[in-house]
């Protein structure tokens, strides 16, 4: 089971600013936390980050034929990128939307996600655990492709 975890704009700054919202742990800590968790669960997580919308779309396209599930924190693109919505729909791979913070408790513009309709579900407000809970879901529900061993 191979899962791509895609992080969007500014998430590389996690732990450096706004610790009250995003916590004290760094982006490197987040990567290690996700990779370790997936490995212990018998899966492979490939964690990527980009500040560019086009690159995020390229990562989603790359998953076609190479990944069994996607976890995506599209950052602020969540709230307005129809292009990311369309890319998730196009690849038709089970995709879980995640957020570190509870977007519904924050500014009004963060309450709406335009990518949610393309995803199987949304997990938010649970810090880094949002990612591992999404991985748990994919492990229980995504179907591994034939050409992979686990
Ligand atoms: O809560 C989340 O995970 C978000 O996706 C994070 C995005 C934000 O635009 C979404 O509304 C919710 C922003 C990530 C910014 O990360 C920073 C981390 C530290 C300092 C500044 C920004």
């Amino acid at each position: 089971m191979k899962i791509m975890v895609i992080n969007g704009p500014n998430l590389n700054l996690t732990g450096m600013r706004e610790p009250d919202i995003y916590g004290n742990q760094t982006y490197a800590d987040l990567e290690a936390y996700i990779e370790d968790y997936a490995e212990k669960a018998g899966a492979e997580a490939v964690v990527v980050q980009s500040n560019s919308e086009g690159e995020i779309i390229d990562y989603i396209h790359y998953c076609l034929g190479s990944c069994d599930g996607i976890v995506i924190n599209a950052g602020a693109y969540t709230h307005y990128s129809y292009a990311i919505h369309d890319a998730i729909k196009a690849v038709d791979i089970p995709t879980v939307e995640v957020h570190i913070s509870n977007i519904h408790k924050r500014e009004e513009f963060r309450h709406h996600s335009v990518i949610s309709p393309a995803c199987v579900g949304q997990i938010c407000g649970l810090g880094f655990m949002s990612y591992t809970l999404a991985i748990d879901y994919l492990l229980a529900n995504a179907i591994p492709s034939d050409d992979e061993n686990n």
Side-chain angles (χ1 to χ4, degrees), residues 9-10 13-14 17-18 22 73 75-76 79 99-101 103 110:
N10 296 310
L13 299 179
T14 305
R17 305 254 165 101
E18 303 189 71
Y22 300 110
N73 183 345
H79 313 299
H99 300 283
I100 296 171
S101 66
I103 56 174
R110 295 187 204 276

Side-chain angles (χ1 to χ4, degrees), residues 26-114:
T26 65
Y27 183 73
D29 294 332
L30 176 63
E31 277 181 326
Y33 172 73
I34 295 167
E35 284 164 3
D36 290 355
Y37 185 88
E39 195 184 330
K40 281 179 189 133
E44 183 191 355
V46 177
V47 185
V48 296
Q49 190 273 331
S50 176
N51 293 318
S52 136
E53 186 180 24
E55 212 163 67
I56 291 168
I57 292 165
D58 289 340
Y59 281 129
I60 295 167
H61 292 176
Y62 174 83
C63 289
L64 253 188
S66 71
C67 296
D68 307 301
I70 299 173
V71 176
I72 186 163
N73 183 345
Y77 286 136
T78 301
H79 313 299
Y80 64 93
S81 176
Y82 300 116
I84 292 176
H85 166 281
D86 287 352
I88 296 168
K89 268 217 108 115
V91 297
D92 197 25
I93 295 166
T95 299
V96 183
E97 173 188 355
V98 300
H99 300 283
I100 296 171
S101 66
N102 182 345
I103 56 174
H104 304 288
K105 265 168 87 173
R106 300 182 63 193
E107 303 97 315
E108 187 84 33
F109 76 89
R110 295 187 204 276
H111 296 182
H112 184 62
S113 164
V114 301

